Structure formats: structure tokens, C-alpha cells
Amino acid sequence: MIRYPFLKEETTIGVTAPSSGVKPEMHELLKDAIKSMEKKGYKVVCGETPWNQIKATSAPARVRADEFNKMMEDDSIGLIIPPWGGELLMEIFEYLDFDKIKQKWVMGYSDTSLLLLAITLKTGIATAHGTNLIDLRGEYSDATTEKWQEVLTTKVNGSVLQHSSPMYQREWDFENPSPHIFHLNEKTCWKSTQGRKVEMKGRLLGGCVDTIRHIIGTTYGDVQGFLEAHIKGDSIIWFLENCDLSTTDLRRTLVQMKLAGWFDDCKGIMFGRSSANETVDDYTAEDIYNQLSKELNIPIVYDIDCGHVPPQITFINGAYAQVEVENGRGSVLQEFI
């Protein structure tokens, strides 16, 4: 069975950087995010790693792992949120004690999604793929992003419904911050390979495909073991997003996932919007989606609210979901069962 954490009011939030930290010239973004969380009534404990960034990481792997382990063991901390993702989170796995992972929320996306997926696969504890801390700064938040609090305070056997966003942000602009954080200026439209109403039911698993692919074939990516130990009899709905891969690299990765059995017992796949998906020799992302849909004989939905083109729906690894997509709009009902 899946074990679900619960976010208590006025809990303490632990801020650590298991991948990338924040360079000095951007420290104000982190400070603003911490202040924003404190205004919401949370206490915030910030480690040392978020304030540093050198040679593509916030600190050596052992230091990053030790700080995460310490926050995981601290019973006063009810939620751990990194400032954002990065590149080399995978380095810390050999120093993490997965046997001591406690039932508390860990939330984020990008490279953080690798940590989230590994925790859920190895322990059966639900994790939250959603906004990172930097994106929670400012005076206002859009309705899609703000939903994270309702999702993380859903009780066991409860459910939470989320809808596709009205608008999304095409490009990032950190140099011109907005009190609304995101510059939502493009109309959201969820699409599908079926070209008609799509309905999917199953347990959610997913993350940034650039990073989660690297645990295929390792003890941290044992999807079949997870199926047997924690959700026996249930199928999977994958949610994936591409940060940097060309279309051919994305295709290779998805084929590898298929050959590794990650798509066995899969009832559907959802792909987030991407500013990558670089076309190679007229080979497009839509070609990949249609090809994979036919190979697996499952519906594929794409351009959803997930990943590096915000805003984001908060997807819970391990939760049972009912997904509906029709006429460019989508809904995700997650049940904590």
C-alpha cells in the first residue's frame, strides 16, 4: 500500500539543495520565497547548501546527502522543498539512508523529481511532483500553483480535484520579477493522440525524463518491485516532461523505458509542455507520441501542466488518479487510497 504524508498547519519547512543551490546574485529570490512561506504561517529552516553553487552543484555529494538525511530525521520538519532542481542529484543516492526515510512530504520538480521517484519506488511513501520553493515567492500565486497546499493536506482516503490551467508561461524572465511570479501569456491546451475525449485511471508515477531515465536498471528504479510490494493489481499512469532532450534522444529514452518494463501495466502517459523537443530531420515530438501510443496501445496526452513550462499541477507519486481530457481541457482527480 501507499503511505501518504499529511501537511500540518504551521509546520516547519526544511529547505535543502540536494542538486543545485542558488548563486549569490539570486539570493534575493530565495529570501523572498522564505518570507512568502513564513507569511503563510509556516516556519522555515534553511540549510547551508541552498546558498552555494559551484561546479554544477550546491556542495559535494556527501554534504548534500547529509543535510537531506538530517532534515528527514528531524520530526519537527513536515515538508522538504529544494529551492529548485539542477543536474547532479543522482550523486547523493549512495549516501542516502532509504530505510530511514520518514513519512513526510518532499516536493519539487526537475532534478528533484529523480529523488521523488526513487523515494516512492523504494519505500511506498508518496511524494509530490510540483512547484519548487523559488516559485512560491511573491505576493500572489496563480490558482494552479497555489493548489499545492490543498493537495498536501488531503487526508488518507480523501481526494483532490485539479484542472488544467487557463494560461501558461512560454519563457522565464528572472531579471524582471513579477508579484504574480509567472507571466502567464499563452492559452493552455491539453492535446491527445486520440483526438477525442480521453479517460485514464491508475497510479501516478513520473518526473523529468532527462533525469529519471538514469535509474533504469538500478535498485532505485525497480518499477516491477514497486508494483508487487505497494500497488499490486493496479496499473500506472506515467507523467513525464522533457527539459533538454532532442526528439531523437527522447525517443531513445522512451524505448529504453519500454524495454526495461517501465510501461508494463501502463494505462496511459501524460507529457508536460516542453521548450525542448528539438526536431531532428523532421522528426517531431508529436511523431513520438503517436508512435508510442500505437506501440503500447494506450492513450497519450501531451502539453499538460507539468514541468519547466509553468504553471504546474501537483502530481502525487503513488496516488490513484482519474484523468479526463476533452476539447483542450483536462482534469486530474487524485485519491489517497
Side-chain angles (χ1 to χ4, degrees):
M1 63 180 294
I2 301 298
R3 291 180 288 160
Y4 296 96
F6 179 79
L7 183 64
K8 298 178 181 179
E9 290 186 8
E10 300 182 354
T11 191
T12 298
I13 294 175
V15 182
T16 185
S19 186
S20 285
V22 181
K23 293 181 178 180
E25 59 266 29
M26 302 185 80
H27 278 182
E28 287 304 314
L29 297 180
L30 181 54
K31 291 177 182 177
D32 287 346
I34 291 172
K35 291 177 183 177
S36 178
M37 301 308 288
E38 290 174 339
K39 286 181 180 179
K40 293 179 186 294
Y42 299 105
K43 302 172 185 176
V44 179
V45 172
C46 192
E48 295 181 6
T49 59
W51 305 103
N52 304 299
Q53 177 73 358
I54 185 171
K55 294 190 181 296
T57 64
S58 63
R62 172 78 75 172
V63 174
R64 285 178 275 146
D66 287 348
E67 189 171 270
F68 179 83
N69 286 334
K70 183 178 180 180
M71 289 191 177
M72 182 56 67
E73 293 170 7
D74 187 340
D75 290 333
S76 70
I77 294 176
L79 167 63
I80 297 175
I81 316 180
W84 46 31
E87 301 286 349
L88 295 173
L89 186 143
M90 193 173 183
E91 292 181 331
I92 74 171
F93 278 177
E94 61 184 304
Y95 306 116
L96 296 181
D97 192 343
F98 282 88
D99 291 332
K100 293 184 179 179
I101 295 290
K102 294 191 175 182
Q103 198 167 315
K104 65 177 68 177
W105 286 116
V106 185
M107 183 171 71
Y109 75 102
S110 190
D111 205 18
T112 303
S113 69
L114 177 59
L115 176 61
L116 304 177
L117 183 60
I119 289 174
T120 298
L121 291 180
K122 287 187 70 69
T123 70
I125 297 174
T127 52
H129 186 281
T131 185
N132 58 41
L133 185 67
I134 291 291
D135 297 334
L136 293 176
R137 69 192 189 282
E139 298 179 43
Y140 310 103
S141 183
D142 64 278
T144 306
T145 303
E146 187 65 23
K147 197 80 170 180
W148 72 270
Q149 292 182 97
E150 182 179 345
V151 176
L152 301 195
T153 53
T154 300
K155 296 181 179 179
V156 174
N157 296 320
S159 63
V160 59
L161 178 65
Q162 297 174 88
H163 296 282
S164 55
S165 67
M167 308 286 285
Y168 72 92
Q169 172 181 281
R170 180 179 291 276
E171 297 177 344
W172 292 92
D173 188 3
F174 285 115
E175 293 183 359
N176 295 292
S178 162
H180 295 274
I181 307 305
F182 301 132
H183 301 275
L184 305 177
N185 49 20
E186 298 284 341
K187 185 177 180 180
T188 296
C189 182
W190 288 21
K191 306 178 182 73
S192 77
T193 53
Q194 275 56 38
R196 51 177 170 77
K197 183 177 181 179
V198 171
E199 296 180 287
M200 300 182 287
K201 295 181 180 181
R203 297 280 178 175
L204 292 170
L205 287 177
C208 179
V209 71
D210 311 44
T211 62
I212 66 171
R213 62 178 177 167
H214 293 298
I215 57 172
I216 293 173
T218 73
T219 183
Y220 308 105
D222 186 2
V223 174
Q224 291 302 322
F226 170 78
L227 288 169
E228 287 295 319
H230 301 291
I231 60 167
K232 194 168 185 177
D234 285 339
S235 300
I236 294 175
I237 298 174
W238 284 95
F239 60 92
L240 304 170
E241 62 105 2
N242 174 19
C243 178
D244 289 320
L245 307 184
S246 69
T247 53
T248 47
D249 199 1
L250 176 61
R251 172 60 178 166
R252 285 193 298 266
T253 298
L254 294 169
V255 171
Q256 183 181 6
M257 294 170 75
K258 179 179 71 172
L259 297 177
W262 278 29
F263 295 144
D264 295 350
D265 299 309
C266 177
K267 291 299 183 182
I269 303 175
M270 300 183 287
F271 287 91
R273 290 179 295 263
S274 175
S275 58
N277 286 337
E278 179 185 349
T279 300
V280 177
D281 195 21
D282 297 327
Y283 187 51
T284 68
E286 287 76 11
D287 291 330
I288 297 173
Y289 304 149
N290 284 298
Q291 194 173 0
L292 190 62
S293 177
K294 291 176 182 177
E295 290 172 354
L296 301 177
N297 193 29
I298 59 172
I300 288 181
V301 174
Y302 58 99
D303 288 355
I304 72 165
D305 296 292
C306 176
H308 289 76
V309 185
Q312 298 201 57
I313 282 177
T314 304
F315 290 102
I316 301 301
N317 282 306
Y320 187 83
Q322 300 180 50
V323 179
E324 293 186 6
V325 179
E326 186 177 21
N327 297 326
R329 309 300 299 160
S331 65
V332 180
L333 177 67
Q334 296 182 91
E335 299 179 70
F336 286 17
I337 56 176

